[in-house]
Structures are given as C-alpha cells and as structure tokens.
Amino acid sequence: MTLDLISSARAFGGEQRVYRHASSATGTPMEFSAFLPGQALRGEACPTLVYLSGLTCTWENVTTKGGYQRMAADCGLIVIAPDTSPRGEGVADDAAYDLGQGAGFYLDATEKPWAPHFRMESYIAEELPSLLLDTLPVWDTAIGITGHSMGGHGALTLAMKHPELFRTVSAFAPIVNPSTCPWGEKALSAYLGTDRAAWRHHDACALVESRGWQGDILIDQGSADGFLDEQLRPWAFDEACRKAGVPLTLRMQGGYDHSYYFVSTFLADHLEWHAERLTG
C-alpha cells in the first residue's frame, strides 16, 4: 500500500503533511494529516499520537485549529489525524449530521447500508497503524491516542480494546457512555442493530469495567459545554474507573464549551502528557 502526498508545509522545524491512500478496510480513498517533527524528517523513529476528531469533522479541523505543531516539535512527537468516516460516491449517508459520512463512531458496522464501508475500527486500529509503520518513522512501541467528542469516544474504546497497540489514552469532552445517550443510541442502533449487548463493546464505561486499562487516563471537559448533561456525562466514566481501579484525571475546565477554542487551549498539555509516558 502506498501513500500519496497531497500537501506539505514547513512548521517549527518539521513538516505538516496531508496524505491520501486507498483503504482496504473501508473500500474508499482515505486521507489523514501527519505532523512530522525534525527528528522524523531525519529518519529517527518517533513516538506517535493519533488524534480522532468529532462529528462533522475531517482531519482538517484539528490540523488547522488545534495549534499543536509547536508542542509536537518540542516533544519530538508525530501527530496523525485521520478522517472521521469513509466518504465519496456510493458510500451510505444520512441527512442528519450525527449519522453517516462524518459520523463513523470508530466502529465496524454490521447493518445495511453501512456495513460495506463503515469499518472505522479496522481502519484506525489495524490498517492505519500498519501503513504508518511501513511508511513513516513511527516508533512501534510508543503509540498513543486521543480525540474530541465522538473522537474521544473512539480514543477510549479503541485504546481499551487494543492495548497492545495504544500505550496511552486521553480525551476531550468524550462520549463516554453512548449506550445511554441520544447520539450513541442513534448511531449504535443504526450501525450495529438493536442488540444492546453488542453496544457494550463500543461503550467506554462498559469496557473499563470489563477490561480495565494498563495506565492512567486524562480527560478535559468544559463546564459550559452545551452537550455536557445530555450527551457526555463524564461522571459516569469517572465512577466506572473508580470501580475498576483505573486512575483517571478528570479536569473540569470552568467556562469552556465544546468548540476548538476549548480543544486548542489544552491540546498542548495532552501532547506533553502523552510524550512523557510514551518515552518512559
């Protein structure tokens, strides 16, 4: 499998790149952004952080609004930002923003019409890491994952399901209990069907209870987030972590909302947090 370089721009001694490739997991072209610090440009293997975006987003949102490149350069950290779903003609979609293209929920769909292309867990946890290891100077024992909102859900669930791959995990305003919130119930029933037992394999609260986690977890949540009470409810994950004995730092950030103003304020903290743990 080959990567096509779409764009490249110099930043803080490294390069911000965008790649496209044909995906066997989704059966579509997929794009992702990759920040390579100076060390990576010189061919040195670097720790890597995967950032998963939220509903309606692509790789572009965090790449242009996150402001993480300086910290990534300082930490010698590769940052990968994939898309949120397969896209294109022939790919199933929905008129609503919270289902279909832009709303893949980082799972492998089993229901029609989504199953042929919506295989985002296989893409993020299998195909993309293999591709990165084959083509970029990624340190294979030092990969972390983070994300925002739906991407925070993806980061938490994929880390706990694939601990041999993801060594660290954090999140921004994640959907922690999709089995019991409107966004999650809509998506999980559409993609996986009505068997709620199957939903638990994609629910961070259920997964931390059944699988635990090998390290600590960092979550930032804005107290002025309009989705806090109905969709996010981080206190449910806090309680689940306490029961499972998993160390969680849940930082409620006063006055912050759900936007990239919030994410960009604390994203450098998360990069530094991951880099410290990935490099030992």
Side-chain angles (χ1 to χ4, degrees):
M1 190 178 296
T2 59
L3 287 177
D4 295 323
L5 182 63
I6 304 304
S7 66
S8 179
R10 196 74 172 161
F12 302 105
E15 287 185 6
Q16 180 63 67
R17 299 177 179 178
V18 177
Y19 288 103
R20 180 183 297 127
H21 68 99
S23 169
S24 58
T26 67
T28 68
M30 295 294 288
E31 294 184 356
F32 65 89
S33 74
F35 177 77
L36 303 183
Q39 297 93 318
L41 297 181
R42 296 191 293 271
E44 299 176 23
C46 294
T48 299
L49 181 64
V50 177
Y51 177 96
L52 304 182
S53 293
L55 290 167
T56 75
C57 293
T58 69
W59 57 262
E60 187 174 14
N61 296 75
V62 71
T63 304
T64 60
K65 297 178 181 179
Y68 60 80
Q69 287 84 357
R70 181 188 292 275
M71 180 58 74
D74 290 346
C75 292
L77 192 65
I78 294 173
V79 179
I80 303 295
D83 202 349
T84 51
S85 78
R87 299 177 190 270
E89 188 175 350
V91 176
D93 200 8
D94 190 90
Y97 76 95
D98 54 356
L99 190 67
Q101 295 186 38
F105 271 81
Y106 304 104
L107 52 77
D108 287 353
T110 58
E111 299 295 303
K112 295 180 179 180
W114 314 104
H117 299 293
F118 280 72
R119 298 182 52 79
M120 290 300 294
E121 178 173 355
S122 292
Y123 178 70
I124 298 296
E126 297 175 16
E127 183 177 29
L128 183 60
S130 178
L131 179 61
L132 295 174
L133 289 166
D134 286 345
T135 56
L136 297 177
V138 171
W139 188 358
D140 62 355
T141 59
I143 300 175
I145 191 166
T146 188
H148 173 225
S149 194
M150 179 186 72
H153 144 79
L156 293 170
T157 58
L158 294 182
M160 286 184 278
K161 292 171 75 174
H162 303 276
E164 73 291 345
L165 173 63
F166 298 114
R167 307 293 176 157
T168 56
V169 62
S170 72
F172 297 86
I175 304 170
V176 298
N177 198 191
S179 297
T180 65
C181 77
W183 278 341
E185 290 181 325
K186 179 178 180 178
L188 296 178
S189 61
Y191 295 140
L192 302 175
T194 57
D195 180 6
R196 286 180 173 264
W199 297 7
R200 293 180 60 82
H201 298 291
H202 306 278
D203 186 301
C205 288
L207 286 169
V208 78
E209 291 175 356
S210 63
R211 295 175 181 244
W213 176 244
Q214 61 207 11
D216 56 340
I217 300 173
L218 172 64
I219 291 178
D220 275 308
Q221 171 66 62
S223 67
D225 189 323
F227 302 113
L228 179 58
D229 292 331
E230 183 179 32
Q231 305 282 12
L232 305 177
R233 303 198 292 268
W235 43 84
F237 189 64
D238 185 36
E239 181 179 357
C241 284
R242 291 178 188 276
K243 290 180 179 178
V246 173
L248 169 67
T249 300
L250 173 59
R251 305 193 304 188
M252 295 299 300
Q253 304 292 357
Y256 284 89
D257 60 15
H258 200 69
S259 71
Y260 266 92
Y261 295 114
F262 156 64
V263 174
S264 63
T265 300
F266 302 104
L267 186 50
D269 288 357
H270 283 240
L271 264 67
E272 189 172 23
W273 184 90
H274 282 274
E276 289 173 354
R277 287 156 178 76
L278 291 171
T279 58

